[in-house]
Amino acid sequence: MKTVITELNWAKGNEILTKVGEIIYDPDLWKKQDLPKVIQDADVLIVRNQTKVTRLLLQSAPGLKVIGRLGVGLDNIDLQAVKDRNIALVCAKNANSISVAEYVFAVMFTFARHPAEATVSVKQGYWDRKRYTGAEIYGKTLGLIGIGEIGTRIAIRANAFGMNIIGYDPFLPPYELATSDFGVKLASLEEVISCSDFISLHVPLNKSTRYLINKQVLKLAKPTAIIINSARGGVIDEKALYEALVSGKLAGAALDVLEREPPLDSSLLELNNIILTPHIAGLTEESQIKTSVMVAREVIKVLNGEPSSCLVNM
Ligand SMILES: NC(=O)c1ccc[n+]([C@@H]2O[C@H](COP(=O)([O-])OP(=O)(O)OC[C@H]3O[C@@H](n4cnc5c(N)ncnc54)[C@H](O)[C@@H]3O)[C@@H](O)[C@H]2O)c1
Ligand SMILES: O=C(O)CC[C@@H](O)C(=O)O
């Protein structure tokens, strides 16, 4: 069995795969021209979010049986092409959800208390306690757009902080929510945007969510609201977001994901009321060990004809 891993992976997963066959591991392969050549005799292809798994790329791997996704977002994979070829697709369901949830709290607290900015001012010789008077997140309203694996984990933690939680997710199976179990009051997109102090996005990027947060939607937000996007860049219209942040229609934004990564010359880079991180919300040592082991084990299960709970239904 030959496995090709085209992006960064943690050693534990690679060790498991090495025991059952040959592995080619090159964290930069996703951007190399010889990618199609390297995968031509592969049985398994393991990717993260940078490898573009197109129909054309799949044509260069006629014997491909399984694709493993070291994460959960599938927007870099042509799902129809995978289905047409009858290739199995497994993802690391849940493995980074806690990390993303904790990232959301990290940025909420940063906006509420400004610890990094205050540190800079103390290092510069200031002791400006009045300027760094913060705000509590207790009693504030958190609006979740998408209440899946990540959204529910955020809700559980937000409850512990005494936040009010509202959420929009039109695709939840009715039995599942009981969102009251997680303290989430379901509402329309418009209600969630207009009532929230913090708005956090947790939807996949697809046709229904591209530019879900656009100029019209942003108009509804409180001028004091903070928007957090750790889902995918294309879910927010960045031009509309820039205008809202510059004109004071929105107080701030934290973006872990952008339409173009890295953003290079984006006007968002000029703003002070923004936190920008390089797609690291789900990237912790714990989540990545879990991810690499989960994908390796599940790929092997699929190859052995055993059932896998990480198989993507297509
Ligand atoms: N920044 C990171 O490091 C990072 C890490 C993990 C996941 N993600 C992104 O977060 C997304 C969500 O992850 P998850 O594990 O919670 O996925 P999930 O599938 O468990 O949950 C997604 C939820 O979004 C809902 N949804 C789908 N379309 C919607 C719409 N139009 N409006 C409102 N809700 C909608 C679904 O019903 C589902 O409940 C992933 O698809 C991925 O793109 C980013
Ligand atoms: O592939 C990555 O490293 C990012 C992971 C994250 O965006 C996901 O969709 O799980």
Side-chain angles (χ1 to χ4, degrees), residues 51-214:
T51 314
K52 302 284 173 242
V53 184
T54 60
R55 190 175 287 276
L56 187 66
L57 183 72
L58 292 175
Q59 279 167 9
S60 52
L64 199 62
K65 298 174 186 71
V66 190
I67 298 173
R69 165 68 172 97
L70 297 161
V72 291
L74 302 173
D75 45 290
N76 57 319
I77 300 175
D78 182 336
L79 299 176
Q80 189 58 51
V82 172
K83 189 176 176 189
D84 292 348
R85 278 277 306 277
N86 210 15
I87 296 169
L89 173 60
V90 300
C91 71
K93 195 171 159 54
N94 262 340
N96 59 19
S97 316
I98 291 173
S99 298
V100 178
E102 291 184 359
Y103 169 92
V104 170
F105 284 91
V107 296
M108 282 199 287
F109 280 120
T110 301
F111 271 111
R113 308 303 296 268
H114 306 288
E117 230 177 284
T119 303
V120 172
S121 101
V122 171
K123 284 185 175 175
Q124 287 170 342
Y126 299 101
W127 196 254
D128 198 346
R129 299 178 66 216
K130 178 80 177 74
R131 179 167 180 195
Y132 292 106
T133 304
E136 294 181 344
I137 68 165
Y138 173 84
K140 301 294 185 300
T141 298
L142 169 63
L144 297 170
I145 312 292
I147 316 170
E149 299 291 351
I150 296 170
T152 49
R153 280 165 180 78
I154 293 171
I156 290 163
R157 286 155 181 78
N159 265 314
F161 281 110
M163 301 184 85
N164 307 312
I165 313 149
I166 55 175
Y168 168 69
D169 190 329
F171 303 109
L172 288 174
Y175 63 86
E176 198 150 320
L177 298 188
T179 29
S180 52
D181 292 351
F182 305 108
V184 184
K185 181 176 161 278
L186 286 181
S188 67
L189 177 64
E190 290 72 18
E191 275 175 281
V192 171
I193 299 291
S194 58
C195 298
S196 299
D197 300 299
F198 295 96
I199 301 159
S200 196
L201 312 179
H202 303 288
V203 292
L205 177 64
N206 56 36
K207 279 184 196 142
S208 83
T209 59
R210 185 169 290 279
Y211 291 164
L212 184 68
I213 308 300
N214 52 40

Side-chain angles (χ1 to χ4, degrees), residues 48-49 69-73 96 231-232 279 283:
R48 212 165 251 287
N49 70 323
R69 165 68 172 97
L70 297 161
V72 291
N96 59 19
R232 279 294 179 273
H279 204 142
L283 203 68

Side-chain angles (χ1 to χ4, degrees), residues 7 9 14 34 38 58-59 65-66 83 90 92 138 157 161 228-229 257 271 281 293 296 312:
E7 297 183 55
N9 193 18
N14 289 351
D34 61 345
V38 179
L58 292 175
Q59 279 167 9
K65 298 174 186 71
V66 190
K83 189 176 176 189
V90 300
Y138 173 84
R157 286 155 181 78
F161 281 110
I228 303 163
N229 188 9
V257 288
L271 301 175
V293 170
V312 176

Side-chain angles (χ1 to χ4, degrees), residues 269-290:
L269 299 173
E270 299 157 13
L271 301 175
N272 291 326
N273 50 350
I274 199 162
I275 292 174
L276 294 165
T277 49
H279 204 142
I280 48 151
L283 203 68
T284 60
E285 200 52 33
E286 293 84 350
S287 74
Q288 294 313 304
I289 291 172
K290 221 188 294 175

